[in-house]
Amino acid sequence: MAADVPGILRQTELLRSASAQDIDAVAAVSRLRSFRPGQVVFTRDDPGGTWLVVVAGRLKVVVRSADGAELTLTVVRPGGTIGELSVADGGPRSADAETLEASQVLLVPREAIQDICSREPAVAQALASAVAVSLRRLTDAASDLVFLDLPRRLAKVLLSQPRDADGVIRPGLRQEDLAHQIGGTRQSVNAALSGFQRRGWIEVRDRTVAMHDVAALERFAVQ
């Protein structure tokens, strides 16, 4: 069944206030791409000519050092978007983006968004707000890296994950991916998870984590 591209666009924060005519015009020039698990979507310094909407799967946005060390800036889930900064300033990509699993991504030309922003103040404001949200998230992450120890950074990441009714984080988390999100190693993440489990706050089951005492983790994360 063909994807409802106008419906996908209408659900985004950026285009929620756009007219049906503008939505249809953007949909007409957008394209849906499928990516394999672990596939590169774009790399740092690539031209930032498209805005991306994650339709299915998950993407991670990462920066890497010259020696290959990796820091995950964010994980984008279905309905999430990437590329507002490049839409706003026309500059190149500032990080790499890769799939964590089989994914579908809608690629929207920057010019189509810019055209709407030039005519619709509400959409232009939504773009500015999206850039501000990204800046605040990166500021918070930088502050955490400097001022919080690794177990508290890990607690904050666990608390930010989607959970089912039983408190199990879905989808499962690899310890290596957690390490990339908090600037640690797999071994340090394993040690911190074991400490949380001994306290009865979580239960680790292979790649899944069940949250048993969210309030305790929240108190720990802000101490």
Side-chain angles (χ1 to χ4, degrees), residues 77 153-163 169 181 211:
R77 296 178 173 84
R153 298 200 302 272
L154 178 59
K156 289 189 71 171
V157 168
L158 293 177
L159 290 166
S160 71
Q161 304 301 307
R163 304 186 293 272
I169 294 174
Q181 290 189 60
M211 306 280 276

Side-chain angles (χ1 to χ4, degrees), residues 111-141:
E111 294 78 9
I113 304 299
Q114 280 286 311
D115 176 63
I116 300 176
C117 287
S118 69
R119 296 181 285 100
E120 297 291 342
V123 177
Q125 181 59 53
L127 176 60
S129 296
V131 173
V133 167
S134 295
L135 178 58
R136 289 181 187 278
R137 184 184 68 246
L138 292 175
T139 301
D140 289 345

Side-chain angles (χ1 to χ4, degrees), residues 139-208:
T139 301
D140 289 345
S143 176
D144 288 348
L145 283 172
V146 173
F147 298 118
L148 295 182
D149 59 20
L150 184 139
R152 285 174 173 79
R153 298 200 302 272
L154 178 59
K156 289 189 71 171
V157 168
L158 293 177
L159 290 166
S160 71
Q161 304 301 307
R163 304 186 293 272
D164 64 19
D166 296 324
V168 178
I169 294 174
R170 305 286 188 190
L173 299 167
R174 296 192 312 163
Q175 292 186 14
E176 182 180 8
D177 292 332
L178 287 170
H180 291 161
Q181 290 189 60
I182 64 174
T185 64
R186 185 183 180 282
Q187 292 77 12
S188 60
V189 167
N190 183 271
L193 289 172
S194 297
F196 295 164
Q197 186 164 244
R198 285 194 300 272
R199 293 177 174 92
W201 299 346
I202 67 170
E203 181 183 353
V204 180
R205 310 166 186 162
D206 191 20
R207 288 189 181 181
T208 64

